[in-house]
Structure formats: structure tokens, C-alpha cells
Amino acid sequence: MIISFGLSAALTRAATAVLRATAPGGREPWRRENYAGRGVELYAGPAAALATAVGVARIRPAAGVAVAVAGVCGAYDDFAGAGDPRRGFRAHLSALRDGQVTSGAVKLLGISAAGLLAGALMKERAVDKVLAGVVIAGAAHAVNLVDVRPGRAAGAALALGLPGLLRKGPGAQMAATAMGAAGAVLPDDLAERAMIGDAGAHALGAALGAAVVAGSGRAGLVAHAAAVVAVAVHGERVSALAGGGTGEGAATS
């Protein structure tokens, strides 16, 4: 577990440094204003997603793919959907019914599909496969929902990962991987120099969900699936009442 934590943290820091130095597409797209109007950078999110996906794939390839897809879909929404005021599942699905494919819809459908695929490959029985997919995709969404202030999502990943360390085997290793990436970005996030956006939050959440799947039987899967569904329903209600989005800045939907 220590090795998984350390490797993930080191890769996150290294990837952040590379992205900051190269700034693919120019520096402006990597800048945002947070809730307080302070300028922050987005490099940490994709870096954390990359490190988490690589670390998880080393343990369970199917789970690593789900984490990578969650990170890519989140990054797409961070950049393509930065100016979109629509928030919540209902708004994006309504747009989809009208023939408009929003970045939020791409994220929702992509992460859901990846979670279900990973769950199908990680479990043997049909019911467990579906429950596992719900847990992975739901956990990705749940961590993103708390990304409303500096350090919330990374801090939540650290807190939610702690129980996973008590499990033996792949589940503990995947939890440590997510925690390593979260710990690496937390100082800059708390200092309001960076934000992890959807890319980082969704990837960390998917990794934590995969850790639960790897270390749980059916009873555990049912309990966690119910929890993430309840969080999603609550988040949808809050989003509807607020008339706005979750997210520390304009990078979340």
C-alpha cells in the first residue's frame, strides 16, 4: 500500500510539472477563476487522473480503464463545457432528448458505460456486475459533487479511501493509489493555486469505487450502490434548487 501511495503521488507531481511546463493548447485554457474569484490552474486534475489510472491499471486493468475514461470525460467537460450554465443529470439529458449533445451528457454516458464495463469484468454474477458498475460510476459522481470549495474533493478522496486500506488485496492497493494522487494535489488545492476540476474528481472517485468493488461481496455492493444513488439524487435536488452548478469554479457540471 505504501508503494502504491508513493508511486501515485510522485507520478501526479511529475505529470503536473510536465503539463505546467508544456501547457498543451496554450496557457489560457488551463486557467480558471475559483469561487472567490482567484486565478487557479487546472494542471493538477488531469495529472491526478493520469496517475490514478496508471496505478489502478497496474492492479486491475479493467478498473484502470474505467478510471481513465472518467478522467478523460471529466477533462472534456472541464474544457468543452466551461461556459455551459446547465448543471445536473436532468438538464443534460433534456438537452440530449432535444438533439443537443452537451459535454455533461458525454461525461454522464461515458463514465456510466465505463463503470458498467469495469464492473462486468471485475465480478462474475450478473447482479454483482450491475451493482459494481453503479458503485464505480456513482462514486465518480459523488466525489465530483463535493468539489465546491478548495480541497473538498481531494480531502474527501483521502477520507473515503481510509476504510479501503483496511481491506486486503487489490481493494487496499487501489484505495492507496487514489489517496496518493489526492494527497499530492491537496496542498496546492487548499492554497487556491490549483483546482482538480472534473478530471481529477471523477478519476479519484472512480478509483475509490473500484476499490470498493474489489473488496466487497454482494451485501457491500448493495450498501455502497444505495449510498451513491442517494448522493446523486440529493445532488440533483440541490442543483435544481440552486439553479447553478456544483464545482469550485466553472470547471464542473
Side-chain angles (χ1 to χ4, degrees):
M1 288 186 292
I2 295 176
I3 293 176
S4 294
F5 183 100
L7 287 175
S8 182
L11 182 54
T12 299
R13 298 297 293 181
T16 301
V18 170
L19 286 173
R20 186 182 292 118
T22 58
R27 300 203 175 275
E28 193 58 33
W30 294 90
R31 295 185 179 126
R32 292 290 187 279
E33 284 190 359
N34 68 4
Y35 76 104
R38 295 187 178 91
V40 294
E41 60 183 32
L42 284 178
Y43 306 114
L50 172 63
T52 306
V54 169
V56 169
R58 183 176 62 89
I59 303 161
R60 285 288 178 87
V65 170
V67 174
V69 171
V72 169
C73 289
Y76 177 70
D77 196 32
D78 283 338
F79 292 98
D84 191 343
R86 286 168 293 198
R87 297 292 185 267
F89 294 154
R90 187 176 303 174
H92 291 295
L93 291 177
S94 294
L96 190 62
R97 284 195 298 269
D98 294 335
Q100 184 177 1
V101 181
T102 65
S103 59
V106 170
K107 183 178 69 173
L108 171 62
L109 298 176
I111 294 175
S112 297
L116 288 170
L117 177 60
L121 294 173
M122 292 176 70
K123 293 297 182 181
E124 295 182 357
R125 297 182 180 276
V127 173
D128 295 338
K129 292 175 185 289
V130 174
L131 289 170
V134 171
V135 170
I136 294 172
H141 180 62
V143 172
N144 187 54
L145 279 177
V146 302
D147 186 26
V148 294
R149 289 293 185 272
R152 293 280 181 88
L158 287 170
L160 293 172
L162 280 174
L165 299 182
L166 301 177
R167 299 185 180 94
K168 295 181 179 178
Q173 298 292 334
M174 284 189 275
T177 297
M179 292 175 69
V185 301
L186 186 59
D188 284 341
D189 198 349
L190 286 173
E192 299 186 44
R193 292 187 294 266
M195 62 186 294
I196 65 173
D198 283 19
H202 280 303
L204 292 174
L208 293 171
V212 168
V213 169
S216 299
R218 181 167 299 174
L221 291 175
V222 169
H224 283 89
V228 296
V229 168
V231 169
V233 170
H234 176 70
E236 189 73 9
R237 289 175 178 170
V238 170
S239 180
L241 289 173
T246 61
E248 186 185 332
T252 323
S253 62

